[in-house]
Every structure is written in structure tokens, then in C-alpha cells.
Amino acid sequence: FRMSMAPSLSSARARAASPASRHASRHASRPASARRGARGSRTPRAESEASPTTSAPAAESADPEVGTLYECTLEKPLGIRWGRGNDGKAYIKELSAAAGNTDPNMKVGDRIVRCSASFGEDIWDAENYGQVVYAIKTRSGGIYLQLEKRGGDVTIFEFDEVDDITRMQRTERAGGNVGLGTREKQRRNYDIAQERAQKRVELFEEALKDYQAGELEKALITWEEVLGLEPPNYIGDNMSRCTDVFRVTQFNIACVYSRMNNMDASFEALDEALRVGFEDFKMVRTDPALENLRNDDRFKPLIDKYDEPLFNENVLKGFKNLFGGGN
């Protein structure tokens, strides 16, 4: 059984997850002129909102390297958070050397052009966000990445491409004014937000059908697309910082990875689901899809971090001591 929309979930517990273990960075970085040839190319599924063969150009920059390609091979864990651009492709959204491995050439806003396939020596063209995230999460060993330099341009994460209305709104904002540009931008952002909300639900249900049909890879890629479409800076009516769709999707992703016996990716998804407020702890403890996860020694400490244990082991030890039952 997989959770479908629309879920009824309570607000997040807001308990912080413990920091993950840190590892020293190991990478091999090369410019595009030295990049290796592809041994293969595969695009399991394209769900981008723009043409899959083109990407939005970076904003004008004085950096002569903007638009050039570079490559690296990194070992997990990665200190990179990926983001979905408004063209549907994958970009670097955050970098943290403290969280894992990065490459000195990397900048926020750089676009992934190609990456290692989930298995073997094939290299995939990075056609859409969901495919890239899926490939990276399921990859064992070094992850090959080819990226395009964009000079730190992050406008790709805005709702829509920068045009005359956006420029007008920015000029008004800089001058402390509210004019036609600002009002038009607000109206358009609202319309785009509604369209994206509908698309998230449609993609969620599409992935659910794939899951029920046993197409686990398709379901994962599409659910990753759903996560990538989460609205930035979201605040719900109950002050939640993420949508119900996001929470349920994270839980479903954890279930799929558990079925595929990818425990690291499953734990990562479940931890995130619980962190942002997924509170159906009975389902976490009983869902058959999470059986592999529950058999892992990491499961109990994780669930106990967000929910009270089914019984308190310290109380049990106290009763044993009280009645001479030993340690």
C-alpha cells in the first residue's frame, strides 16, 4: 500500500536530525577538453517543463568561463544539494564541504550535463532533475559528473525566466516602489504556483500508478521530480514549511528504496520525511514495503528520535532491578 493524495497530516514535530558523519573530500577534476567519451547514454524518463535538449543560458557575466564544461568524479557522501531549475534540469543549489565531498570548480548554479548511470560504466545525459537525483542516489562507488559553469547565476531557480516584467519589478523594488511590474509579477507568480501545485499532484499520481504496476525506477524518478517542484519559501496555513505532497512523497521514496534494498537512500528519505513532519508512525512501523529497513540496526534509533518508543527500556530495567531481576 502506498499513500495517495490528498493526505491528512498534522504539523511537523520540528525535531532536528543529528548531523551525519563527515568524510574527507576525494575527487578527480578535469576540464571538458580532457573529458572521457561516453560509454553509453540513457534517459529513463524526461519530465521537464522545457525542451529536454536545451537549457536556459546563464545571465550575462564578465566571467569568461561561463558556459564552459568541466568534470569530476566524487565519492559519497556528497556535500551537494541539487535543485530543479525552471527548465526542469538539475543544478547545484547548495555546497557544503563539511557535509561531504565537493569539487573546487563547483559553484552554486552550475548545471549537470552528464552523470554516471545507476550501475555499470554508462554515462547518462542529464535530461531532467528526477533522473539525475535517482542516478546519484542509486549509484555505488564513484560518481562521474560533467557540469556547465554558470558564474554563480541562480536565476534559474526563479519561478520563470527573467523578462521585462521581472526586470521592471526588480527596479521598482530597488526604489522602494510598488507599481505595475510588481503587481504583474505577483499575479503571475500566483498563477505559476497554482499550475505547479496541480502538476505536483498529477506527477504524484502518475508515479503511484507506476509503483503499483511494479515500475519502481519510473516511480522513483517521477517522485524525485515531485520533490523538485516543491515551492520555495513555502509556508502553509498551519505554518508548515513544506507541503503535504512533499512529506508523503519522501515517505513513498523511502518505501521504494527499501524494496530495492538500497538502505542508505531509504534511510535518507525516511529521515527527511520524519524531519519535515510525517507523523504516521504506525505506518512507518508496519508498512510491508519498509520491512528491509526495519531489519536494519539503524531503524530503531531513527524512529525513536521522532516518536516515543513502544516501551521504555529504562523503565523495564528499573523494574528488573527493583524485583531482583538483574541488570
Side-chain angles (χ1 to χ4, degrees):
F1 172 73
R2 287 280 56 69
M3 296 194 73
S4 60
M5 305 309 297
S8 176
L9 298 173
S10 55
S11 60
R13 284 177 176 268
R15 297 185 186 173
S18 59
S21 59
R22 312 305 187 204
H23 297 265
S25 174
R26 293 195 303 166
H27 60 266
S29 178
R30 291 176 291 177
S33 59
R35 66 183 182 274
R36 61 183 177 184
R39 297 181 176 85
S41 178
R42 179 185 174 198
T43 304
R45 183 180 180 99
E47 290 289 350
S48 61
E49 297 174 351
S51 168
T53 58
T54 61
S55 65
E60 293 185 8
S61 170
D63 187 349
E65 293 190 346
V66 168
T68 62
L69 303 178
Y70 64 96
E71 60 181 10
C72 61
T73 300
L74 302 174
E75 299 289 338
K76 291 183 178 179
L78 302 184
I80 308 167
R81 181 186 171 199
W82 310 106
R84 187 183 190 276
N86 58 40
D87 60 353
K89 298 183 184 298
Y91 295 79
I92 296 177
K93 194 165 188 178
E94 292 181 11
L95 288 168
S96 173
N101 297 325
T102 62
D103 183 88
N105 287 306
M106 289 178 169
K107 286 185 179 180
V108 171
D110 287 357
R111 178 176 71 92
I112 300 182
V113 178
R114 314 184 79 201
C115 66
S116 294
S118 296
F119 306 99
E121 297 296 323
D122 286 355
I123 306 298
W124 285 355
D125 292 331
E127 296 290 356
N128 65 80
Y129 173 84
Q131 171 221 359
V132 169
V133 175
Y134 166 77
I136 291 173
K137 285 186 177 180
T138 55
R139 178 76 181 177
S140 296
I143 301 170
Y144 167 80
L145 299 170
Q146 184 186 73
L147 301 101
E148 176 191 30
K149 291 188 175 184
R150 292 173 51 84
D153 176 31
V154 295
T155 56
I156 195 67
F157 297 122
E158 296 182 0
F159 262 0
D160 54 350
E161 295 182 6
V162 177
D163 57 10
D164 291 341
I165 292 295
T166 303
R167 294 187 183 95
M168 186 186 303
Q169 182 261 341
R170 288 177 177 176
T171 300
E172 293 172 357
R173 185 173 58 187
N177 302 317
V178 176
L180 175 63
T182 300
R183 290 192 292 271
E184 177 62 22
K185 183 70 173 179
Q186 290 172 341
R187 183 197 64 78
R188 189 166 62 184
N189 281 350
Y190 176 81
D191 291 343
I192 293 173
Q194 295 302 305
E195 292 174 3
R196 287 195 170 192
Q198 180 62 32
K199 182 169 184 176
R200 287 199 308 276
V201 174
E202 290 173 356
L203 286 175
F204 181 97
E205 297 296 342
E206 179 182 334
L208 186 62
K209 291 178 182 178
D210 287 334
Y211 177 87
Q212 292 168 341
E215 298 283 351
L216 301 187
E217 180 180 292
K218 286 185 178 180
L220 276 173
I221 291 173
T222 305
W223 271 327
E224 292 289 359
E225 283 284 324
V226 172
L227 297 185
L229 284 167
E230 179 75 359
N233 305 317
Y234 174 85
I235 300 179
D237 294 338
N238 60 354
M239 303 307 292
S240 173
R241 300 307 299 266
C242 73
T243 63
D244 287 344
V245 179
F246 185 90
R247 283 191 286 268
V248 177
T249 300
Q250 284 285 14
F251 174 79
N252 285 355
I253 288 175
C255 291
V256 179
Y257 277 126
S258 176
R259 285 188 58 184
M260 296 174 69
N261 208 32
N262 187 331
M263 295 298 98
D264 290 342
S266 183
F267 272 109
E268 178 183 345
L270 182 59
D271 191 12
E272 179 65 7
L274 296 173
R275 186 188 69 80
V276 297
F278 186 88
E279 294 184 323
D280 193 339
F281 300 113
K282 180 179 180 181
M283 178 168 284
V284 175
R285 288 189 168 98
T286 61
D287 194 312
L290 289 178
E291 181 177 358
N292 290 335
L293 203 70
R294 288 192 293 269
N295 291 332
D296 192 292
D297 291 339
R298 292 171 288 179
F299 177 77
K300 188 178 185 304
L302 175 62
I303 190 65
D304 288 352
K305 181 170 65 176
Y306 296 98
D307 187 35
E308 294 297 327
L310 295 179
F311 65 92
N312 192 314
E313 294 180 354
N314 291 329
V315 172
L316 179 62
K317 290 179 180 178
F319 273 111
K320 287 183 177 180
N321 292 332
L322 180 64
F323 294 102
N327 296 327

